[in-house]
Amino acid sequence: MAVAKLRTNKPITPTDLKELEIILLEQAGGDNHLIEQAKQTSGVLGLFVRSLLGLERGAAMDAMAEFLNDRNATSSQHEFVTMIVNYLTQDGVIERGRLYEAPFTSITATGPDSIFDNAKVVKLFNIIDDIKLRAVA
């Protein structure tokens, strides 16, 4: 259940985190050191597992729906948001700063600030933060 929640961008609970830890401990042959190392790498076990699994494409698209369904969006804006969806599908989360690096800078050299107005950038960052928080109990 916890894995499904992470894949579909549903918020996880402390109980889900315990379930994930049990699953990972089983897979690690009882080596608790590996679990602790995973927690330290990502800060939270849910983020570590999400980074391995990624998000289901539908969940990533749902999260970004407001931007993908904007009829007034330019082709560059659509391409930028689609690239975010692709990134989320593969890596599960994205840090804000990543939007100012390649491959995003191939669309706009200075990141989302040059193709979205301030209100849209704030909204975009809020969505990105929410996706990340759903993997943290």
Side-chain angles (χ1 to χ4, degrees):
M1 182 81 119
V3 171
K5 284 182 174 182
L6 287 172
R7 290 272 300 143
T8 58
N9 200 34
K10 303 289 186 246
I12 62 170
T13 65
T15 303
D16 294 326
L17 282 178
K18 288 185 190 302
E19 180 184 332
L20 287 173
E21 193 163 338
I22 290 168
I23 291 169
L24 290 175
L25 195 56
E26 237 175 59
Q27 295 299 313
D31 187 349
N32 197 39
H33 174 71
L34 292 174
I35 304 303
E36 292 305 314
Q37 189 176 8
K39 286 180 185 177
Q40 288 177 352
T41 300
S42 296
V44 178
L45 193 58
L47 289 174
F48 173 73
V49 174
R50 168 84 68 73
S51 73
L52 297 174
L53 301 172
L55 276 180
E56 288 183 0
R57 185 160 192 80
M61 290 182 72
D62 286 347
M64 302 304 296
E66 178 180 337
F67 288 89
L68 291 170
N69 295 329
D70 184 353
R71 294 173 193 233
N72 297 323
T74 66
S75 62
S76 293
Q77 289 171 329
H78 270 286
E79 186 179 356
F80 196 87
V81 174
T82 300
M83 193 174 285
I84 293 172
V85 168
N86 292 340
Y87 196 94
L88 290 169
T89 302
Q90 182 175 336
D91 294 341
V93 292
I94 188 168
E95 297 296 329
R96 291 177 176 195
R98 187 77 178 97
L99 302 179
Y100 297 91
E101 300 171 358
F104 296 97
T105 53
S106 67
I107 298 169
T108 173
T110 58
D113 303 316
S114 63
I115 59 172
F116 296 107
D117 63 33
N118 284 343
K120 282 277 202 182
V121 172
V122 168
K123 203 170 278 193
L124 180 63
F125 286 164
N126 287 340
I127 291 168
I128 287 170
D129 292 346
D130 182 62
I131 291 167
K132 183 176 181 178
L133 286 174
R134 288 170 180 249
V136 178

